Amino acid sequence: MDADLDEVLQAVAEAARPRASQGRTPSYIESLAHADQDSFAIAVVEMDGTEHAVGDADQPVAIQSISKVFTLALAMQAADGAEGVAEELWRRVGVEPSGDPYNSLVQLERERGVPRNPMINAGALVVDDVLLDHRSDAPEAVVELLSQLAGEPVTIDDLVRQETAESASRNRAIAHLMASFGNLTHTVDEVLDAYLHQCAAAITTRQLARAIRFLGNDGVDPATGRTVLEPERARRVAALMLTCGTYDSAGQFAFDVGFPCKSGVSGAIVGIVRHRFGVCVWSPPLEESGNSLAGHVALHELAQRLDLWTH
Ligand code: DON
């Protein structure tokens, strides 16, 4: 790794930060709507544990949709322990980009309740439904996994949990629509409860950069040597991040950034550069697809400055 990575991150932050003013914080979750538009952080954690950070990298933020990567990892762990789970999962959720907003209902009606992929809200709800079959502690399991991978306790932000629940009409509608097609086995309330819980995990930019590394390390947590996922399954989660992790901007992200990324509506985006590092950037204002605007710029700058093309 370049010795001057700290300088690179400084330059990336300088280039990206001013772009935040062109984005907008989401209006449907109160605390996100009023988030400080000037907050900015970028953290890179190398596989050997060396950490580099600029900005507010130790401020906890709600993980929101980035949690979908970790619940998918847990569902795939369940698939390792029980035959037929992977087959069931990939029958009930697809692996194609949606081309629609992350909370859209339109495709679900046309495609008989089978979500396009696990990174949109509908897909994450099906993943939670599968997970609930195997882990009765599913809502806590994701927080436990995040804590293990971050190397520090991750907690739930009760206010975000409550606000996300208050603005969950659309997610509830998605769950009901899927249930009407027979694509949920638990009640809408049970599935929604797990989903709302995972979205409210409060985690810092630095912790997310640490936690995502296992996907760039053949499924093994580099901090502990523990296998989280089999290499083939880790590769598949990364592939879904690349093709679907930033929703309707996934093509633009592949074009500009080139490595797998996953965004959350709180303005965080995680990325993985295989066998090199985990990265996380955070800036609350979003572009129209729901990804951090300055975060996108920062990851583009990072890829260019470090020549990170993976394909
Ligand atoms: O379900 C929702 O709408 C939010 N709790 C999470 C969505 C999200 O993070 C989309 N990402 N950009």
Side-chain angles (χ1 to χ4, degrees):
M1 181 59 59
D2 297 1
D4 61 355
L5 191 51
D6 293 302
E7 282 170 33
V8 170
L9 290 191
Q10 281 291 354
V12 162
E14 268 165 43
R17 231 178 158 140
R19 298 289 297 280
S21 61
Q22 293 164 358
R24 274 214 198 162
T25 51
S27 54
Y28 71 102
I29 299 175
E30 190 75 7
S31 54
L32 297 184
H34 299 120
D36 181 356
Q37 314 240 344
D38 295 326
S39 296
F40 183 92
I42 184 162
V44 163
V45 181
E46 298 181 53
M47 292 303 170
D48 69 2
T50 310
E51 302 193 353
H52 310 263
V54 170
D56 314 314
D58 296 309
Q59 178 167 329
V61 291
I63 191 169
Q64 297 290 356
S65 282
I66 296 173
S67 63
K68 294 166 180 170
V69 170
F70 296 92
T71 46
L72 181 60
L74 286 171
M76 287 187 156
Q77 274 182 351
D80 283 336
E83 214 164 313
V85 176
E87 290 72 13
E88 182 199 336
L89 183 66
W90 300 125
R91 206 171 45 244
R92 293 178 53 195
V93 60
V95 294
E96 296 295 344
S98 73
D100 272 328
Y102 60 81
N103 54 5
S104 173
L105 285 128
V106 177
Q107 216 152 35
L108 277 180
E109 171 71 357
R110 276 204 309 266
E111 299 180 4
R112 306 198 57 76
V114 177
R116 276 286 173 102
N117 67 69
M119 299 292 156
I120 52 174
N121 292 8
L125 291 166
V126 171
V127 168
D128 281 344
D129 190 56
V130 170
L131 193 56
L132 280 163
D133 273 340
H134 301 275
R135 304 270 315 235
S136 53
D137 64 338
E140 288 76 37
V142 67
V143 177
E144 191 186 303
L145 176 63
L146 286 167
S147 302
Q148 280 167 5
L149 293 169
E152 285 164 350
V154 168
T155 54
I156 294 294
D157 182 326
D158 291 328
L159 178 64
V160 172
R161 172 80 172 76
Q162 188 194 323
E163 288 175 353
T164 318
E166 282 163 6
S167 62
S169 302
R170 185 166 271 273
N171 286 327
R172 195 171 286 280
I174 289 172
H176 277 290
L177 188 53
M178 293 195 297
S180 78
F181 284 109
N183 201 13
L184 285 189
T185 61
H186 298 85
T187 65
V188 165
D189 281 339
E190 282 173 305
V191 175
L192 218 59
D193 188 59
Y195 176 75
L196 297 175
H197 195 81
Q198 76 191 51
C199 286
I203 189 161
T204 70
T205 308
R206 184 192 297 277
Q207 288 170 333
L208 269 173
R210 274 185 213 143
I212 203 68
R213 285 179 304 163
F214 75 102
L215 288 177
N217 193 42
D218 302 321
V220 176
D221 176 7
T224 59
R226 187 175 81 95
T227 296
V228 181
L229 280 184
E230 293 305 313
E232 170 73 7
R233 298 201 198 279
R235 186 186 67 71
R236 289 187 150 172
V237 177
L240 287 165
M241 287 170 67
L242 183 68
T243 53
C244 313
T246 47
Y247 314 113
D248 216 6
S249 295
Q252 193 68 47
F253 264 78
F255 195 76
D256 294 337
V257 180
F259 53 80
C261 293
K262 178 77 202 86
S263 64
V265 76
S266 49
I269 308 175
V270 292
I272 33 172
V273 180
R274 193 157 183 256
H275 294 159
R276 290 182 74 177
F277 56 72
V279 55
C280 183
V281 59
W282 172 54
S283 164
L286 311 177
E287 34 83 311
E288 13 355 306
S289 301
N291 308 298
S292 169
L293 197 149
H296 183 158
V297 175
L299 293 170
H300 184 192
E301 288 283 332
L302 188 72
Q304 280 190 315
R305 285 166 198 263
L306 295 180
D307 197 16
L308 293 176
W309 311 119
T310 55
H311 52 79

